Amino acid sequence: MTKSSANKSVNGEVCHHATNGLKPGKNGFVKNRYFDQKQQHKYRYPEEKDHHIDCNGGLYKRPFNESFEETPMLVAVFTYMGYGILTIFGYFRDFLREWKIEKCNIASERDEQKDFVPLYQDFENFYNRNVYLRIRDSFNRPVCSVPGAKMDLVERVSNDYNWTFEYTGKVLKDIINLGSYNYLGFAENTGRCSEAAAEVTKKYGVGVSSTRQEMGNLGMHEELEKLVAKFLGVESAMTFGMGFATNSMNIPALVGKGCLILSDELNHASLVLGARLSKSTIRVFKHNNMQSLEKLLRDAIVHGQPRTHRHWKKILILVEGIFSMEGSIVRLPEIVALKKKYKAYLYVDEAHSIGALGPNGRGVVDYFGLDPQDVDVMMGTFTKSFGSAGGYIAGKKELIDYLRTHSHSAVYATSMSPPVVEQIITSMKCIMGEDGTTYGIQQVRQLAENASYFRRRLQEMGFIIYGNNDSPRRSHDALHASETQCVWAGDAEEEHWGGGGWVPSNAHH
Ligand SMILES: Cc1ncc(COP(=O)(O)O)c(C=O)c1O
C-alpha cells in the first residue's frame, strides 16, 4: 500500500505498511492476485496476512484486512472471448430466426407493427435469448421449503434448450443454501423464534391495521424499541415495518434543502433513494476512501453552498457497516475521527453487520470497540441476522422523538406485524443471552469462524474473493456451506432452537 486512504491517517501521519510491491487499487486497497497470496500465505489463516494490515495512527485496535482482488488477465481475456463468441453466434441465430430457418420462441414484433418503434430488439432482449438462456436452468430455481441453512428445490427439466421448463414432480432435498442472508439461522419454521411468533399470532393476529400514531401502537412495539436501544447501547430507538423504507423515508426527515450529504459510492439503493428524496446536495466519495471523504469535507467547510457560499445547514455522512455487495467493512474509526474534526453527522446503515459482527454481535461499533455515542444515527434491519422483517433507527432520545413525529414512515405506515416483532424480540434476546442460554452468542462466534474458514478455503481453491476477512457478507453462507462437516450441537437447550442450530465440528481446524 502506498498513498491511499488505507495508510494515510486522519492526523496526516502516514503509516508504513508492508507494501508487497503491489499497486493500490482505485479505492486505495491493494489489488492482489491470488497467486501472490497463495505463495506467501499458503498455510496461514487470514488473520496472519500482513500486506493489508492497517495501523493508521493507532485508530484500529485490530488488523484491518481487506482486499479487492483483481481478475487475472488470462481469466478476463477468456471471459470476454466467451462473450464475444456468444454474441457472434447470437447475431447469426437471430438472422436465422428472421428468415424463419430457426424457430423463434420469444415474443417478436407482429407484421402489422413493423413500422412501430421495436419493442423486442434492444440489447437486453438479445442478451436474454442468446446468452442468458443457455444457463437459465441454474437461475430462479423454485424453492419449496424454508430457505434455511438447507432447503428443498423442485426438480425441473427442459426439452427445448431452456425456453420452457417442466416439473418432474421430484423434490431435491437438503440443498445447501448459498443465497439467503439468514446469518445466524433464526429464519426457520421450527425452534423458539417461530414458536413464539406462532403464539403471538394466536393472541394478536397478524395485522395491526393502523399506524403507530393512531391505534397501531402495541406494548410489544415499545418493548422491541427498548430492547433495540439496550442492544445497541444508546438512549432510544424506533422501529419500522420495512428496512428499505427505514432509509428512504427517514433520511428526508433528517436533512433537506441547504444540507449536504456525503455518500459512499457503493451505498445501498435505499440510502441513495433517501438521499435523493431529501433534496439535499449529494456528493459521492470513493468507496471507503478516507482521503476522498476528507477532501469533500474540507471543500464543504471552505466553500460552503454553491453560489451563495453560505455554510451548509448540516453535513451528513452516509455509510454502511458492512457494504452489501462487496463485503467490505466501513473504516469507522477513521470516519468518526473525520466527522468529529469537521463537525459532521454520521449515519451508519448496519443492515448486514448488526447481529453478525463484533464480539457481542452488536455490529460495527462493537467490532471496532468504539463508543455507540460516536455514531449520530444508527440504522439497521431485522431481515438478516434476526430472520424477520423491518428496520430501526437508534441514537439520542431527542433524535428518536423528532423522528416519531416527522418521519413519513412513522406517521403514515402501518405498524409492524406482531409475529414479526416477536421473532425479533426472541432472536435478539437470544443473542443478548437474556433467554438464559449461550446459543445466540455461540452462533455469532460460529458465523465469524465459518466466514473466515470459507473465505480461506475459497482463496486456496483459486476463487476471487472481495471484501473484509471478518465480513460474513460474500462468505455469509459459510454457516451453511460448511455443513458437510457439521454435527448437531447435542445440548438439549440448544436443540430446542430448531433448524438453525447447526454448528460445524472442529474438522476444519
Ligand atoms: C445496506 C442495506 N440497507 C437496507 C436494506 C433494505 O433492507 P430490507 O431488505 O430489510 O428492506 C438492504 C437490503 O438488503 C441493505 O443491504
Side-chain angles (χ1 to χ4, degrees):
M1 284 189 194
T2 53
K3 233 172 136 195
S4 74
S5 66
N7 60 1
K8 186 114 176 19
S9 80
V10 177
N11 55 19
E13 288 166 24
V14 175
C15 262
H16 297 285
H17 309 273
T19 58
N20 234 10
L22 297 169
K23 259 180 32 193
K26 73 174 166 126
N27 36 30
F29 303 117
V30 170
K31 291 182 174 181
N32 57 317
R33 288 186 196 287
Y34 163 67
F35 300 110
D36 291 318
Q37 285 185 5
K38 200 178 172 191
Q39 277 163 16
Q40 293 165 23
H41 307 286
K42 209 168 176 185
Y43 300 109
R44 297 170 69 189
Y45 277 78
E47 289 75 22
E48 293 177 65
K49 283 186 211 151
D50 47 11
H51 60 281
H52 301 295
I53 289 178
D54 191 332
C55 52
N56 226 347
L59 283 174
Y60 291 87
K61 294 188 181 118
R62 46 178 297 131
F64 193 79
N65 303 328
E66 203 151 89
S67 68
F68 291 86
E69 200 179 329
E70 208 173 54
T71 312
M73 181 61 89
L74 202 63
V75 175
V77 167
F78 276 117
T79 308
Y80 282 117
M81 265 172 62
Y83 272 115
I85 292 168
L86 281 171
T87 307
I88 293 167
F89 269 93
Y91 279 117
F92 179 62
R93 294 186 72 176
D94 269 3
F95 171 80
L96 296 181
R97 284 175 194 135
E98 193 159 332
W99 287 92
K100 312 262 186 302
I101 301 168
E102 184 183 311
K103 191 179 165 220
C104 185
N105 291 305
I106 42 126
S108 55
E109 266 77 32
R110 280 184 271 145
D111 282 346
E112 64 268 28
Q113 288 177 328
K114 68 180 185 320
D115 295 330
F116 287 37
V117 175
L119 281 176
Y120 308 109
Q121 296 306 323
D122 63 350
F123 186 73
E124 200 177 324
N125 257 276
F126 172 88
Y127 187 89
N128 272 339
R129 66 180 173 262
N130 294 307
V131 183
Y132 169 67
L133 192 83
R134 289 166 170 264
I135 49 163
R136 193 159 87 97
D137 59 327
S138 333
F139 294 90
N140 310 320
R141 309 249 332 233
V143 178
C144 59
S145 70
V146 173
K150 289 179 177 176
M151 59 187 180
D152 301 340
L153 300 183
V154 184
E155 193 183 69
R156 57 180 192 177
V157 290
S158 176
N159 298 315
D160 53 3
Y161 302 103
N162 297 344
W163 285 106
T164 57
F165 291 101
E166 278 163 30
Y167 297 123
T168 62
K170 226 174 107 183
V171 169
L172 306 172
K173 290 254 173 219
D174 291 339
I175 307 294
I176 294 172
N177 178 4
L178 293 179
S180 308
Y181 30 56
N182 177 15
Y183 293 131
L184 301 179
F186 287 122
E188 295 287 346
N189 58 352
T190 53
R192 255 182 239 178
C193 287
S194 58
E195 279 165 20
E199 274 304 306
V200 161
T201 311
K202 280 187 209 144
K203 192 169 170 198
Y204 290 98
V206 173
V208 180
S209 307
S210 187
T211 66
R212 291 289 297 279
Q213 289 204 346
E214 289 164 321
M215 288 159 64
N217 191 37
L218 300 180
M220 60 192 311
H221 289 129
E222 290 180 12
E223 184 192 344
L224 173 63
E225 288 174 348
K226 284 197 187 109
L227 191 69
V228 171
K230 188 174 169 197
F231 185 69
L232 296 167
V234 293
E235 287 174 15
S236 191
M238 178 163 190
T239 54
F240 304 87
M242 184 188 182
F244 194 100
T246 308
N247 278 334
S248 55
M249 293 291 103
N250 284 300
I251 295 170
L254 296 171
V255 283
K257 245 179 148 203
C259 298
L260 175 67
I261 290 179
L262 300 179
S263 175
D264 189 290
E265 66 180 341
L266 297 183
N267 271 343
H268 188 259
S270 54
L271 290 165
V272 175
L273 181 64
R276 287 183 184 160
L277 289 176
S278 75
K279 298 197 183 124
S280 309
T281 301
I282 304 166
R283 290 184 186 150
V284 175
F285 60 93
K286 286 189 191 146
H287 175 51
N288 231 351
N289 185 319
M290 295 306 110
Q291 279 186 318
S292 173
L293 174 61
E294 185 164 14
K295 186 175 178 305
L296 291 184
L297 278 166
R298 206 180 303 125
D299 284 355
I301 303 293
V302 173
H303 301 298
Q305 296 186 37
R307 285 199 304 275
T308 60
H309 296 292
R310 281 204 205 128
H311 58 78
W312 294 100
K313 288 183 187 161
K314 279 178 223 161
I315 300 177
L316 181 68
I317 303 170
L318 283 188
V319 287
E320 290 179 34
I322 291 181
F323 284 83
S324 53
M325 298 310 291
E326 285 68 27
S328 39
I329 297 178
V330 67
R331 293 175 167 271
L332 197 62
E334 288 169 82
I335 295 195
V336 166
L338 280 177
K339 79 135 206 147
K340 284 183 180 166
K341 184 175 169 187
Y342 292 97
K343 304 211 170 0
Y345 293 102
L346 177 59
Y347 184 112
V348 182
D349 175 343
E350 294 232 53
H352 291 275
S353 46
I354 197 68
L357 199 67
N360 306 299
R362 316 273 162 110
V364 76
V365 172
D366 183 27
Y367 173 75
F368 286 114
L370 297 174
D371 182 353
Q373 315 298 327
D374 287 339
V375 178
D376 302 285
V377 190
M378 284 182 163
M379 181 272 167
T381 68
F382 302 120
T383 30
K384 280 83 184 173
S385 298
F386 306 98
S388 190
Y392 67 81
I393 298 268
K396 289 216 158 61
K397 186 173 177 303
E398 55 191 325
L399 165 82
I400 303 304
D401 288 348
Y402 172 81
L403 285 178
R404 279 189 205 284
T405 46
H406 287 80
S407 164
H408 276 66
S409 56
V411 183
Y412 299 111
T414 301
S415 46
M416 286 170 93
S417 161
V420 166
V421 174
E422 187 57 34
Q423 162 83 22
I424 306 164
I425 292 177
T426 314
S427 54
M428 196 174 278
K429 279 189 176 167
C430 175
I431 299 172
M432 293 164 87
E434 287 196 2
D435 61 335
T437 74
T438 55
Y439 176 81
I441 201 66
Q442 274 174 20
Q443 288 295 93
V444 173
R445 291 189 189 139
Q446 196 63 62
L447 175 69
E449 216 174 278
N450 289 354
S452 156
Y453 168 75
F454 192 54
R455 176 180 287 271
R456 181 168 58 84
R457 291 287 294 126
L458 284 177
Q459 265 168 353
E460 283 169 9
M461 288 160 78
F463 285 95
I464 295 172
I465 314 292
Y466 267 24
N468 195 292
N469 273 341
D470 290 338
S471 158
R473 189 70 191 155
R474 285 303 91 205
S475 46
H476 68 269
D477 304 294
L479 185 70
H480 321 314
S482 55
E483 265 195 289
T484 41
Q485 306 171 20
C486 282
V487 290
W488 180 246
D491 184 301
E493 202 167 49
E494 287 171 348
E495 205 166 321
H496 191 60
W497 279 96
W502 290 95
V503 291
S505 69
N506 287 332
H508 58 263
H509 292 297

